Amino acid sequence: MKPIEALKSARNTYICHQVNRVRLPDFEENRFVRHITFHGRVQKVGFRIELAQMAERLELTGWVKNAENGEVIAEVQGFESRIRFLLKFMNSLKRIKIRKMDNKPHSIREDETTFKIL
């Protein structure tokens, strides 16, 4: 394994461990979908893996991917209170600097069952 791959693997393992340690609150349930574009220092800091791991823990579905312009784009589907918790959690991380989030509603995808990193 190349040194850079070993570092990324160690970072991802650490991120997964940290996400699993977060205590989740009780949630008020109502369902909707959002399209979110994150602006700031959100690439090359483990943002997508952290977002995906927490989305899975929160039983959210959707996807996240890097955009060529340095932004990160995600579609997150699930209960509004859980999505709000996810966004608050992502904003609390020190190595990630979200300057702005653009949200656009999208229709629900009934066939979606997982959260993916694209």
Side-chain angles (χ1 to χ4, degrees):
M1 183 180 293
K2 294 181 182 178
I4 191 76
E5 291 171 356
L7 286 173
K8 284 182 180 180
S9 177
R11 177 199 65 198
N12 292 349
T13 300
Y14 173 77
I15 287 170
C16 294
H17 175 72
Q18 291 301 103
V19 167
N20 286 328
R21 291 182 52 201
V22 173
R23 181 171 295 160
L24 302 179
D26 292 328
F27 293 103
E28 191 179 297
E29 311 295 14
N30 54 358
R31 196 160 181 79
F32 81 111
V33 171
R34 273 194 183 158
H35 179 273
I36 308 165
T37 303
F38 297 93
H39 307 268
R41 189 176 73 216
V42 291
Q43 287 194 14
K44 300 188 183 344
V45 290
F47 185 91
R48 291 176 304 145
I49 185 86
E50 191 120 23
L51 185 105
Q53 287 290 309
M54 184 55 78
E56 285 180 17
R57 280 211 56 213
L58 293 167
E59 299 175 348
L60 300 171
T61 62
W63 53 264
V64 62
K65 70 178 181 178
N66 284 338
E68 291 181 17
N69 62 2
E71 298 170 348
V72 172
I73 302 167
E75 281 192 16
V76 183
Q77 177 171 294
F79 295 114
E80 181 179 13
S81 57
R82 292 173 186 247
I83 293 172
R84 275 196 316 263
F85 181 87
L86 173 69
L87 299 178
K88 184 178 177 183
F89 172 77
M90 295 306 292
N91 268 309
S92 74
L93 300 171
K94 303 284 187 235
R95 72 183 178 289
I96 293 169
K97 296 291 183 218
I98 300 171
R99 276 188 292 104
K100 183 173 101 173
M101 289 184 286
D102 296 326
N103 301 317
K104 290 192 294 186
H106 276 245
S107 57
I108 292 174
R109 295 193 51 190
E110 298 294 337
D111 62 332
E112 196 171 66
T113 60
T114 62
F115 197 92
K116 299 176 186 166
I117 298 174
L118 303 178

